[in-house]
């Protein structure tokens, strides 16, 4: 098998991992290349996802039999394996031509977790020490690998991740019988305890598959919240389930639940940057997001009595509650209102979108819309219309690079 | 008649002129590069400049403001000189607080331009493609704004042990890195450039195109979204998009 065929197989089987972020690292080593704190997207694939790293598996051979995974041992797919030298050569050649920010290396499990982990470490050690590669490296930690190997890997990479795959332990047991939840959390604990400038400086992330098992959005998001709190994860990625295998334990769907995935990302943002808690967004009797509205607009409609917010007076976190106003806009508003009284016209000048915000704010006591229309029913139907337009314009793909 | 003030073509002569105008409290109708041809209603005014002291005045200016006016200078905005003049006038008065005054049109305009230039430079840090030719790496760009110096600074840090040349085809400028520093040259200053590809280059390019195709998930195909993030104007210098133009 030539290198091109190998790359085809091993990129194809790595593509379902959503993470491609190259941001957040501050390492400053000598050698070929460097890291950019903001992360850099080098291209965008035909699915609209950012390409920042050479995302490949070391091998797609695997001793595990996870139901949802294309590489499970019971599937008859073409298998390939890269040698460490081959991975280094491709990485360096791509990097010098500015195709990529670095490497994302994962692998199927061969022989046993320790053996697989050692092979990954060998590759990255070579890349760092023989090729003196100082660019970004994200590596997967293999669940079940010994702690000392996890620690060894941490010193070589910018980011490490172990995928939680499914939010509930019983789902994992059902669909990924070889994966043990406690093995995944022990990796997260090790990374958390050791993280420093020289140990996974860009932190750790994880991924959950959405729609392969029966969890509600509430269960998924509660899991994320607890992961953020317990292990200080940088990111939880959500990956809409794509039916690559037929199995009676898997749902039979044709189209991946992309809108649901997007709602979860939006809510995830609300947890990390907007000061929301899962409890604010969902509850037991209403455990799933509204597919027709983004979670913040949905929240705002359910708490209509909290509005309107006055642009010239509201606190930072109150401004963030306004649909259409994010951290950047809120900061602009707060910065400018110290020196002048902001009118609607000024918001437009500052490129703050009023499309959704106009229903929820006043500027110096004045409404943008006719005050008689400041009613939940009217606002709700207007927002639904806007969202429908966005969805049909295909604008709701995700940019996965920025933290 | 409106009064047009001319500068010598380079950045420091523009700043020098602007400081002089500010010192003498002159409000120019426009400021233009020396190759500007005035129309019938315009007259050129020459100003004697204080080469020694004018630029020193800027030393006291916060770094973020100096960076901002440099970005405006790199932009393709037709009135950039006048905008820098206006912005500096306010910057002397408000210092860093100048960025808060989004209600003043010239300041607001400048902030938008900074963002525009910065974002194009950031995009090209990713989208620029080098090819290995015989002795060095070579890239062609055609940016809307004149961002080659920002890119050269970036790649000087990143590829510090490689010889490389970035060519801005639109402006006919080469940025050439010789392992120590970056020099900028016009086409006429080159003898000739041998751009024959290294023998292995086609193979590596083929690998990249394979990776690019393979990594996309077909069930999620979204070309509109791809184009939003990666505007079409950059495609012609991006290897993986060649067959889409």
């Amino acid at each position: 098998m030539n290198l091109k065929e190998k790359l085809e197989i091993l990129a194809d089987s790595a593509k379902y991992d959503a993470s491609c972020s190259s941001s957040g690292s501050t390492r400053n080593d000598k050698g070929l290349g460097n890291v950019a704190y903001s992360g850099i997207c080098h291209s965008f694939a035909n699915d609209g996802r950012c390409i920042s790293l050479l995302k490949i598996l070391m091998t797609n051979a695997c001793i595990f039999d996870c139901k949802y995974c294309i590489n499970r041992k019971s599937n008859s797919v073409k298998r390939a394996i890269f040698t460490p030298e081959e991975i280094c050569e491709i990485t360096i050649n791509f990097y010098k031509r500015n195709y990529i920010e670095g490497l994302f290396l994962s692998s199927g499990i061969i022989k046993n977790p320790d053996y697989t982990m050692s092979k990954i470490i060998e590759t990255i050690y070579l890349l760092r020490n023989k090729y003196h590669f100082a660019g970004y490296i994200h590596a997967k930690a293999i669940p079940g690998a010994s702690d000392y190997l996890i620690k060894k890997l941490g010193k070589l990479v910018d980011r490490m991740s172990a995928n939680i795959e499914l939010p509930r332990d019983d789902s994992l047991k059902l669909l990924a019988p070889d994966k043990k939840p406690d093995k995944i959390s022990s990796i997260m604990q090790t990374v958390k305890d050791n993280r420093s400038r020289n140990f996974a400086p860009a932190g750790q992330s994880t991924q959950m598959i959405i729609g392969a098992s029966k969890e509600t959005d509430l269960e998924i998001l509660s899991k994320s919240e607890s992961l953020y709190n317990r292990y200080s994860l940088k990111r939880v990625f959500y990956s809409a389930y794509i039916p690559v295998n037929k199995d009676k334990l898997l749902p039979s769907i044709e189209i991946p639940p992309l809108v649901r995935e997007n709602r979860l990302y939006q809510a995830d943002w609300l947890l990390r940057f907007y000061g929301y808690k899962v409890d604010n967004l969902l509850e037991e009797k209403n455990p799933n997001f509204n597919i027709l509205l983004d979670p913040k607009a949905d929240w705002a409609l359910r708490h209509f009595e909290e509005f309107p917010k006055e642009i010239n007076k509201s606190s930072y976190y109150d401004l963030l509650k306004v649909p259409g106003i994010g951290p950047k806009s809120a900061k602009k508003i707060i910065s400018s209102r110290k020196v002048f009284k902001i009118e609607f016209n000024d918001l437009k000048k500052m490129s703050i979108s009023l499309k959704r915000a106009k229903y929820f704010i006043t500027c110096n006591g004045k409404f943008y819309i006719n005050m008689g229309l400041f009613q939940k029913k009217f606002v709700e139907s207007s927002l639904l219309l806007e969202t429908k337009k966005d969805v049909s314009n295909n604008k709701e793909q995700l940019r996965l690079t920025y933290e | 008649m409106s009064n047009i003030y001319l500068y010598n073509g380079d950045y420091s002569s523009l700043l020098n002129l602007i400081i002089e105008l500010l010192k003498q409290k002159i409000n120019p109708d426009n400021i233009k590069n020396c190759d500007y041809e005035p129309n019938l209603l315009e007259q050129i005014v020459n100003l004697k400049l204080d080469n020694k002291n004018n630029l020193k005045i800027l030393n006291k200016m916060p770094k973020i403001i100096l960076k901002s006016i440099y970005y405006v200078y790199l932009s393709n905005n037709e009135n950039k000189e006048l905008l820098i003049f206006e912005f500096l006038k306010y910057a002397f008065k408000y210092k860093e607080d100048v960025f808060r005054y989004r209600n003043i049109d010239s300041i607001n305009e400048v902030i938008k331009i900074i963002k525009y230039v910065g974002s194009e430079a950031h995009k090209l840090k990713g989208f620029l493609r080098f090819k290995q030719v015989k002795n060095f790496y070579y890239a062609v760009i055609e940016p809307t704004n004149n961002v080659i110096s920002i890119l050269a600074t970036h790649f000087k840090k990143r590829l510090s042990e490689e010889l490389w040349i970035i060519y801005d085809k639109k402006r006919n400028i080469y940025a050439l890195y010789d392992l120590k520093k970056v020099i900028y040259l016009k086409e006429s200053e080159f003898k000739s450039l041998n751009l024959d590809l290294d023998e292995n280059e086609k193979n590596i390019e083929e690998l990249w195109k394979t990776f690019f195709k393979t990594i996309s998930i077909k069930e999620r195909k979204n070309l509109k979204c791809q184009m939003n993030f990666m505007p079409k104007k950059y495609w012609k210098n991006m290897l993986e998009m060649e067959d889409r133009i």
Side-chain angles (χ1 to χ4, degrees):
Chain A
M1 199 183 289
N2 68 27
L3 202 57
K4 191 181 151 187
E5 288 168 307
K6 276 193 190 179
L7 182 63
E8 213 163 352
I9 294 171
L10 294 169
D12 190 58
S13 41
K15 72 185 177 196
Y16 298 105
D17 208 302
S19 166
C20 196
S21 147
S22 59
S23 58
S25 190
T26 48
R27 233 175 1 87
N28 193 7
D29 299 346
K30 281 211 162 28
L32 165 65
N34 57 2
V35 293
Y37 187 74
S38 64
I40 296 176
C41 290
H42 285 250
S43 194
F44 286 87
N46 292 350
D47 54 15
R49 297 190 305 163
C50 148
I51 300 175
S52 176
L53 305 173
L54 170 64
K55 187 169 14 177
I56 48 172
L57 299 189
M58 189 177 70
T59 178
N60 64 337
C62 195
I63 56 170
F64 282 8
D65 203 32
C66 308
K67 302 290 178 226
Y68 49 80
C69 181
I70 184 85
N71 303 315
R72 63 180 183 181
K73 70 173 174 201
S74 53
N75 274 8
S76 73
V77 293
K78 237 184 176 174
R79 309 281 173 172
I81 182 163
F82 273 132
T83 65
E85 287 282 354
E86 284 170 337
I87 295 175
C88 293
E89 290 287 341
I90 303 180
T91 307
I92 298 295
N93 277 326
F94 279 14
Y95 192 82
K96 283 188 178 172
R97 285 158 184 78
N98 203 43
Y99 301 163
I100 53 167
E101 252 336 78
L103 174 67
F104 178 120
L105 188 58
S106 177
S107 184
I109 297 167
I110 34 173
K111 286 189 189 168
N112 57 55
D114 271 359
Y115 179 80
T116 312
M117 192 82 277
S118 306
K119 277 294 186 192
I120 289 181
I121 292 170
E122 186 191 333
T123 307
I124 296 175
Y125 186 86
L126 204 65
L127 194 54
R128 288 286 195 223
N129 294 296
K130 182 177 164 193
Y131 294 84
H132 304 290
F133 181 66
Y136 196 94
I137 300 178
H138 176 163
K140 276 261 151 342
I142 304 295
S146 306
D147 205 47
Y148 81 96
L149 289 173
I150 305 292
K151 284 180 184 151
K152 217 164 154 184
L153 181 64
K155 288 186 190 130
L156 293 166
V157 299
D158 295 279
R159 170 168 291 182
M160 209 195 297
S161 60
N163 283 356
I164 202 123
E165 311 290 12
L166 299 163
R168 248 170 36 200
D169 291 356
D170 56 336
S171 300
L172 195 71
K173 209 170 159 188
L174 189 70
L175 297 179
D178 306 305
K179 286 198 179 176
K180 303 281 175 276
D182 57 319
K183 299 265 164 67
I184 297 164
S185 43
S186 90
I187 292 173
M188 290 180 173
Q189 191 65 49
T190 302
V191 177
K192 189 196 175 203
D193 294 344
N194 290 281
R195 196 179 154 212
S196 73
R197 275 195 60 193
N198 305 311
F199 190 104
Q204 55 176 333
S205 62
T206 193
Q207 170 167 313
M208 281 189 262
I209 304 163
I210 305 308
S213 48
K214 294 198 168 61
E215 284 89 344
T216 61
D217 290 347
L218 175 61
E219 283 173 297
I220 294 167
L221 214 57
S222 303
K223 185 73 188 183
S224 304
E225 190 172 57
S226 83
L227 290 172
Y228 285 131
N229 293 338
R230 274 173 73 180
Y231 305 112
S232 334
L233 290 197
K234 279 278 177 176
R235 283 288 296 271
V236 174
F237 289 95
Y238 307 92
S239 174
Y241 170 66
I242 294 167
V244 290
N245 300 327
K246 289 249 178 299
D247 196 301
K248 60 180 188 311
L249 293 173
L250 292 169
S252 54
I253 55 164
E254 294 288 316
I255 302 158
L258 293 176
V259 179
R260 184 177 180 206
E261 177 196 276
N262 194 33
R263 294 286 171 261
L264 284 163
Y265 273 112
Q266 288 168 327
D268 186 271
W269 245 258
L270 297 181
L271 298 184
R272 288 184 298 136
F273 303 115
Y274 291 69
Y276 286 76
K277 303 266 176 272
V278 178
D279 298 351
N280 306 137
L281 300 170
L282 295 165
E283 52 199 0
E284 290 293 344
K285 63 175 201 282
N286 183 22
N288 289 307
F289 287 112
N290 185 346
I291 286 297
L292 302 173
L293 271 181
D294 69 88
K296 202 169 102 175
D298 197 54
W299 181 92
L301 286 170
R302 281 187 282 120
H303 297 81
F304 203 65
E305 70 288 349
E306 282 206 22
F307 297 93
K309 303 281 184 201
E310 167 57 44
I311 288 292
N312 288 290
K313 290 205 178 81
S314 304
S315 72
Y316 176 70
Y317 281 100
D318 272 349
L319 288 173
L320 285 183
K321 286 178 180 161
V322 175
I325 293 184
K328 273 189 191 159
S329 300
K331 279 174 197 153
K332 279 192 225 169
I333 289 166
I334 287 176
S335 160
S336 283
R337 74 187 184 189
K338 288 205 171 107
V339 297
F340 68 93
K341 274 194 157 55
I342 297 173
E343 301 286 348
F344 284 105
N345 198 23
D346 298 315
L347 292 176
K348 282 186 192 160
K349 273 195 209 164
M350 293 151 89
S351 322
I352 293 173
S353 163
L354 293 178
K355 208 165 74 176
R356 290 179 169 76
K358 64 185 174 213
Y359 304 110
F360 297 93
I361 53 175
T362 57
C363 283
N364 305 304
K366 291 188 291 286
F367 280 93
Y368 188 83
I369 49 171
N370 181 342
M371 211 173 111
L373 293 175
F374 186 69
Q375 283 169 22
K376 193 173 159 177
K377 272 258 159 59
F378 171 76
V379 173
E380 184 167 13
S381 59
S382 311
L383 289 182
L384 283 169
L385 206 69
E386 287 294 349
T387 311
K388 220 171 154 184
K389 268 194 244 162
D390 280 357
V391 172
S392 69
N393 282 336
N394 245 346
K395 277 191 179 160
E396 294 209 15
Q397 178 63 294
L398 294 152
R399 184 171 209 175
L400 299 167
T401 308
Y402 296 107
E403 292 299 332
Chain B
M1 285 297 258
S2 55
N3 292 331
I4 313 292
Y5 293 79
L6 298 187
Y7 65 103
N8 223 343
D10 66 16
Y11 186 49
S12 60
S13 78
L14 170 63
L15 294 182
N16 193 342
L17 170 62
I18 288 176
I19 300 288
E20 192 63 38
L21 290 166
L22 288 170
K23 269 192 344 200
Q24 298 192 26
K25 295 201 162 57
I26 299 171
N27 259 326
D29 293 307
N30 216 334
I31 304 170
K32 289 285 173 191
N33 197 344
C34 50
D35 58 10
Y36 180 75
E37 284 172 24
N39 64 33
L40 289 171
L41 299 170
E42 293 171 335
Q43 61 179 352
I44 304 289
V45 186
N46 285 308
L47 214 56
K48 200 173 164 355
L49 302 180
D50 180 353
N51 291 324
K52 233 188 191 169
N53 296 312
N54 276 357
L55 292 178
K56 279 190 200 151
I57 295 174
L58 287 175
N59 292 345
K60 276 178 265 162
M61 203 48 104
K63 275 220 170 67
I64 176 77
I65 288 172
L66 296 179
K67 185 183 161 190
S68 300
I69 53 175
Y70 181 61
Y71 271 37
V72 178
Y73 174 71
L74 298 181
S75 79
N76 70 337
N77 189 293
E78 274 186 17
N79 291 314
K80 62 186 181 185
E81 292 91 349
L82 204 57
L83 280 170
I84 295 174
F85 169 84
E86 289 284 327
F87 186 75
L88 267 181
K89 192 167 77 183
Y90 290 113
F92 276 110
K93 191 167 160 194
Y94 298 128
K95 299 287 181 306
E96 282 107 325
D97 274 350
V98 69
F99 296 103
R100 297 181 191 272
Y101 289 85
R102 301 288 298 244
N103 55 338
I104 298 173
D105 285 339
S106 56
I107 296 176
N108 193 44
E109 183 78 13
V110 161
I111 292 173
K112 284 186 177 169
I113 293 170
I114 298 164
K115 212 183 143 204
Y116 181 42
V117 173
S119 116
E120 180 168 44
H122 181 81
K123 283 196 186 95
L124 280 169
K125 283 178 191 173
F127 299 161
L128 175 146
R129 297 284 174 264
F130 282 112
K131 282 174 190 298
Q132 189 169 18
V133 296
K134 290 296 171 202
N135 303 312
F136 55 93
Y137 288 89
Y138 180 72
V140 178
I141 54 170
E142 294 166 77
T144 308
N145 301 291
N146 186 17
V147 294
I148 195 169
S149 59
I150 305 175
L151 296 173
T153 310
H154 172 76
F155 286 107
K156 186 178 169 225
K157 282 190 214 125
R158 175 157 288 199
L159 299 175
S160 59
E161 285 166 41
E162 308 294 336
L163 293 166
W164 48 254
I165 293 176
I166 300 171
Y167 173 45
D168 181 338
K169 203 170 165 184
K170 229 182 204 169
R171 295 167 187 81
N172 239 319
I173 308 167
Y174 291 82
L176 188 148
Y177 175 67
D178 65 0
L179 301 180
K180 287 197 191 77
K181 59 190 185 311
V182 177
I183 26 181
Y184 296 92
L185 294 170
K186 287 239 156 66
E187 187 158 39
S188 52
E189 295 168 287
F190 264 111
K191 283 184 201 117
S192 79
L193 213 49
N194 181 358
L195 293 177
D196 293 343
L197 289 185
D198 190 80
E199 51 195 68
N200 197 23
E201 194 60 14
K202 280 286 162 217
N203 293 332
I204 293 164
E205 294 192 339
E206 201 51 47
L207 281 180
W208 170 242
K209 284 195 256 184
T210 301
F211 177 76
F212 177 78
K213 266 189 220 118
T214 312
I215 206 68
S216 163
I217 298 177
K218 66 174 190 307
E219 291 87 344
R220 304 185 64 128
K221 189 172 176 181
N222 191 340
L223 298 180
K224 230 180 209 169
C225 173
Q226 176 188 41
M227 209 185 324
N228 270 346
F229 288 132
M230 191 164 73
K232 220 170 174 172
K233 63 180 175 182
Y234 299 111
W235 292 7
K236 60 179 167 227
N237 294 308
M238 294 178 79
L239 181 61
E240 65 272 29
M241 301 308 283
E242 272 173 2
D243 52 2
R244 287 269 296 279
I245 310 164

